[in-house]
Amino acid sequence: MPALACCLDAAIAPPSLPTTETFPSWSSSHSAALYRINGWGAPYFSVNSSGNVAVRPHGSATMDHQEIDLLKVVNKASGGLHLPLPLIIRFPDVLKNRLESIQSAFNSAVESQGYGSNYQGVYPVKCNQDRFVVEDIVKFGSSFRFGLEAGSKSELLLAMSCLCKGSSESLLICNGFKDAEYISIALIARKLSLNTVIVLEQEEELDSVIVISRKLGVLPVVGVRAKLRTKHSGHFGSTSGEKGKFGLTTTQILRVVKKLEKYGMLDCLQLLHFHIGSQIPSTVLLADGVREAAQIYTELVRLGASMKVIDIGGGLGIDYDGSKSTDSDLSVGYTLEEYASAVVQAVKHVCDNKSVKHPVICSESGRAIVSHHSVLVFEAVSSSRYSVPSLSSFDVQQLGETLPEEAHSDYHNLLQSTFVGDREACLAYADRLKQRCVDQFKDGALDIEQLANVDGLCDLVAKTSDPVTTYHINLSVFTSIPDFWGIGQLFPIMPIHRLDQRPNANGVLSDLTCDSDGKINRFIGGESSLPLHEMGGENVMKYYLGMFLGGAYEEALGGVHNLFGAPSVIRVSQSDGPHGFAVTRAVPGPSCSDVLRAVNHEPQVMFQTLKDRIEEYIGDDDEGGVMASGIVESFHNMPYLTVGSSCCLTVANEYYYPDDGFTGDDDLVCA
């Protein structure tokens, strides 16, 4: 049926991939451009001549021999260290470089503009509370008095403990809603000579601060969080503004001043805090908010408060898609240097006009500090693609003869539309025919072979065959990339190897969870699919993908959906050894037992129940013993797929267990 074939040829073509004509010979540089790595990844990530993602641990100061091949790290972790994937790879050198870069940007702005004070940042631990991340930040930032910010009692205890090893001048900013216990802990921290500031988020918190500080005999240092009028319109600006969740209005701030004055404690008010939203897209908006806050700061000085610090909160954004856009939640239109310059200039201008001494400038940059330092690596274990069944002209004619009379008119209208080339009518009749036949199948008037032929015909006409390949990944989106599922946050995702080869498929990623939302089908650049390489055939090696810039929030927010736990984690430092890196820490991800305990199950009791069942139905002979041993193994393994093994009884014996069976994870010993 030539007219039908013509109609099909006119159907929408699949998204185009780079062709031989576009790039006669593919190279790593073409992949770098395709995945925009030189935009979002600079100066920490690039594609090397071997076609693998390379990590530049010292940023722009990294020398060629210091680059770390990401595939070699993965091979070391999975092969040499036997760590199961998915895998979070931390690069503390990148973390150190981010801290130093932010400090350097503010130092340069202070010096070039003749600013009369200094910059002193803090890291909000909510972004990533991992012990080694926080301890690294304290260690790397100690020389320039970099501090921590806490938003809960547990975060405060964490911050206090870590800052005992830091500079005595590092700030400990206490944000968040506070009860008497929170305030007591913060005041104890003050007694322990930690540079603690209690920031009032609610007016009534001041009463507790006054009462408890007198009981403990410690003079508090207090800050106020102001609700500014300035906010940005993106998703991350929704918590700011006059109706924001946190902070005090100007009326409430004045009442705080009067109450402190009444109790002879106005000298305790030393810090003004504000936050106009994360991922501030432009320095124009940033400067506007800083100017408004600086005006409040100078007014507090006029009212007699002993102001010393202006805390500009978070908001220093990162460029997730490399577009350098000023109107997107995925990008920012400024550099670190431009951000720092805008802040210093705005504060200096207001304070100079009011003849107020320049305050210490503090920021609570979290996303900008930790996002780049970790990479989530996961494996595509298989791929699939729906293909439309082929129908010959004879099949189409025979179908028409076997259809019930009620469907004949739609069938003939469909064929007539193909002859005249009316594509819209063709699609409409195909849809109508398919729905009518589905209804008749439900009523028993159509058999399954007829329905399958109708589906095939309509799919051919409508070209509903999805040109996109689904890659099944050994990952839980809900556990490892919760911001994608929750708020639609996009992260750069790309293969970490085979980048010297042309990708020949458009793919979406489907995770292991039994949930239709467990897929990634939106990517940076507004794309609904990702260029990927085909799996199988001659390409028998494993296919690894990396998600980048996810070091902030994703680990903190991830849960145990479908009882998939967190990934394995390694720390990798640049070294002068043969591979250019050294693994300084390696931790397997939570086992099935660990995640079961997280939801109040008792693995020991569960195993005993199953063991009793095995003895009852199988016996306690060799067969029963093998089954029990296999179940023990499964309790101790990670919930993710063990690629290459057929069942729990054939898992590589990376561990051994005591002869008395399952008695808890403490019995697991590395072989």
Side-chain angles (χ1 to χ4, degrees):
M1 298 186 66
L4 180 59
C6 180
C7 174
L8 298 183
D9 289 339
I12 299 173
S16 59
L17 285 164
T19 63
T20 303
E21 290 74 20
T22 307
F23 298 112
S25 60
W26 194 264
S27 69
S28 297
S29 61
H30 296 133
S31 286
L34 178 65
Y35 296 108
R36 305 185 182 195
I37 194 171
N38 295 331
W40 56 260
Y44 301 106
F45 304 103
S46 63
V47 179
N48 63 26
S49 58
S50 299
N52 302 330
V53 171
V55 181
R56 299 178 58 82
H58 310 298
S60 56
T62 305
M63 293 182 282
D64 289 345
H65 74 276
Q66 295 175 319
E67 285 191 350
I68 300 173
D69 189 310
L70 195 55
L71 181 61
K72 290 182 179 179
V73 175
V74 174
N75 288 338
K76 173 67 175 176
S78 60
L81 300 175
H82 305 295
L83 283 182
L85 269 65
L87 177 69
I88 290 174
I89 307 174
R90 301 197 197 282
F91 295 95
D93 295 314
V94 172
L95 192 61
K96 183 174 186 287
N97 185 266
R98 291 300 293 173
L99 277 171
E100 292 173 346
S101 297
I102 293 172
Q103 186 69 38
S104 176
F106 273 99
N107 288 349
S108 296
V110 165
E111 183 178 354
S112 64
Q113 297 185 36
Y115 191 76
S117 188
N118 62 281
Y119 167 77
Q120 196 172 332
V122 297
Y123 167 67
V125 298
K126 68 179 180 181
C127 289
N128 192 323
Q129 301 101 333
D130 180 84
R131 169 191 166 188
F132 297 98
V133 171
V134 180
E135 288 183 349
D136 277 345
I137 288 172
V138 171
K139 179 176 67 175
F140 297 150
S142 181
S143 62
F144 39 85
R145 300 165 295 182
F146 211 90
L148 299 174
E149 180 267 347
S152 68
K153 285 180 275 191
S154 51
E155 286 185 352
L156 177 54
L157 292 168
L158 180 161
M160 289 168 61
S161 174
C162 290
L163 283 176
C164 286
K165 300 176 183 178
S167 169
S168 60
E169 297 179 68
S170 296
L171 287 165
L172 172 52
I173 303 294
C174 301
N175 288 333
F177 293 121
K178 304 171 189 68
D179 60 8
E181 185 179 20
Y182 186 134
I183 291 168
S184 297
I185 297 170
L187 290 169
I188 289 172
R190 189 83 195 162
K191 265 196 160 184
L192 298 176
S193 294
L194 295 174
N195 193 9
T196 311
V197 182
I198 300 174
V199 179
L200 303 179
E201 304 276 9
Q202 296 179 297
E203 187 179 354
E204 54 267 29
E205 291 172 356
L206 178 59
D207 293 331
S208 296
V209 170
I210 293 172
V211 171
I212 297 171
S213 65
R214 290 187 170 184
K215 286 183 179 179
L216 294 177
V218 58
L219 195 63
V221 173
V222 176
V224 291
R225 176 167 175 168
K227 284 185 176 180
L228 300 189
R229 274 70 168 179
T230 306
K231 60 178 292 185
H232 71 81
S233 57
H235 168 82
F236 296 109
S238 61
T239 58
S240 58
E242 290 182 272
K243 297 182 180 180
K245 179 178 178 181
F246 297 104
L248 309 180
T249 64
T250 52
T251 302
Q252 291 173 316
I253 290 173
L254 286 174
R255 287 203 293 260
V256 165
V257 169
K258 290 179 180 177
K259 182 169 288 188
L260 286 171
E261 189 174 28
K262 173 184 175 182
Y263 286 94
M265 298 174 65
L266 192 52
D267 285 350
C268 296
L269 181 55
Q270 298 181 13
L271 179 145
L272 175 72
H273 173 43
F274 69 94
H275 179 66
I276 62 175
S278 298
Q279 276 289 110
I280 297 173
S282 71
T283 55
V284 173
L285 176 64
L286 171 68
D288 191 33
V290 174
R291 280 195 300 270
E292 181 184 352
Q295 294 290 356
I296 298 174
Y297 180 92
T298 58
E299 287 299 296
L300 290 173
V301 172
R302 182 181 63 82
L303 293 171
S306 297
M307 302 300 291
K308 295 179 181 177
V309 180
I310 184 167
D311 180 351
I312 65 174
L316 173 54
I318 62 172
D319 195 351
Y320 286 102
D321 62 8
S323 65
K324 294 182 170 49
S325 171
T326 60
D327 59 358
S328 168
D329 285 339
L330 294 177
S331 185
V332 293
Y334 52 79
T335 63
L336 287 180
E337 291 73 20
E338 290 167 340
Y339 176 90
S341 179
V343 171
V344 172
Q345 184 179 42
V347 175
K348 182 177 185 296
H349 176 75
V350 172
C351 289
D352 287 349
N353 284 346
K354 295 293 185 70
S355 299
V356 169
K357 182 181 178 182
H358 297 167
V360 170
I361 295 175
C362 175
S363 73
E364 301 178 2
S365 301
R367 189 188 307 268
I369 291 175
V370 297
S371 291
H372 299 77
H373 95 285
S374 74
V375 179
L376 172 67
V377 176
F378 50 95
E379 183 179 358
V381 295
S382 64
S383 63
S384 62
R385 177 176 171 179
Y386 173 72
S387 58
V388 177
S390 60
L391 291 174
S392 67
S393 299
F394 176 77
D395 292 331
V396 173
Q397 183 177 356
Q398 189 178 44
L399 172 63
E401 295 172 354
T402 59
L403 284 176
E405 185 175 347
E406 294 84 350
H408 278 172
S409 61
D410 290 326
Y411 170 75
H412 288 297
N413 286 334
L414 170 60
L415 297 188
Q416 184 62 36
S417 298
T418 65
F419 280 118
V420 300
D422 187 344
R423 186 171 184 278
E424 285 192 16
C426 184
L427 295 174
Y429 285 125
D431 184 64
R432 187 182 301 178
L433 173 64
K434 190 170 187 177
Q435 186 57 54
R436 186 186 297 275
C437 288
V438 168
D439 291 340
Q440 291 178 337
F441 177 75
K442 291 178 181 179
D443 292 336
L446 210 68
D447 62 36
I448 192 169
E449 290 90 353
Q450 290 173 307
L451 182 63
N453 285 332
V454 170
D455 286 340
L457 173 64
C458 294
D459 284 353
L460 277 170
V461 171
K463 208 71 173 181
T464 55
S465 169
D466 191 348
V468 174
T469 300
T470 298
Y471 285 71
H472 306 285
I473 57 174
N474 196 10
L475 186 77
S476 164
V477 168
F478 305 91
T479 297
S480 294
I481 322 177
D483 270 345
F484 175 82
W485 168 73
I487 61 175
Q489 173 71 44
L490 303 185
F491 297 91
I493 297 175
M494 65 179 290
I496 68 167
H497 60 140
R498 295 178 62 182
L499 298 172
D500 54 351
Q501 305 170 28
R502 181 185 291 106
N504 47 13
N506 286 298
V508 297
L509 309 179
S510 178
D511 75 358
L512 297 179
T513 65
C514 301
D515 196 306
S516 59
D517 286 336
K519 61 184 177 181
I520 303 173
N521 55 4
R522 287 175 289 117
F523 303 90
I524 63 171
E527 303 296 332
S528 58
S529 63
L530 186 69
L532 295 170
H533 305 85
E534 286 188 355
M535 300 179 62
E538 296 179 1
N539 303 310
V540 294
M541 68 181 298
K542 295 183 176 183
Y543 193 45
Y544 296 118
L545 301 170
M547 186 202 80
F548 299 81
L549 309 188
Y553 295 108
E554 302 318 290
E555 295 173 57
L557 293 173
V560 288
H561 182 274
N562 242 166
L563 293 188
F564 286 109
S568 303
V569 180
I570 62 171
R571 277 167 50 94
V572 176
S573 295
Q574 185 266 317
S575 74
D576 296 328
H579 299 295
F581 67 89
V583 176
T584 59
R585 181 174 175 79
V587 181
S591 65
C592 290
S593 292
D594 294 328
V595 294
L596 286 166
R597 287 193 189 96
V599 287
N600 297 312
H601 292 277
E602 293 295 338
Q604 293 92 337
V605 175
M606 296 168 67
F607 171 71
Q608 188 60 51
T609 300
L610 293 171
K611 185 179 179 183
D612 292 344
R613 188 81 166 187
I614 289 170
E615 292 176 353
E616 178 182 357
Y617 284 88
I618 306 298
D620 57 0
D621 55 7
D622 290 345
E623 183 183 1
V626 169
M627 286 187 178
S629 296
I631 291 176
V632 168
E633 192 94 22
S634 295
F635 271 109
H636 284 78
N637 286 339
M638 286 177 67
Y640 294 95
L641 300 182
T642 304
V643 181
S645 67
S646 58
C647 72
C648 62
L649 304 183
T650 61
V651 173
N653 57 347
E654 298 162 8
Y655 307 101
Y656 66 88
Y657 306 92
D659 294 334
D660 57 350
F662 183 89
T663 56
D665 281 352
D666 290 341
D667 295 317
L668 183 150
V669 184
C670 290

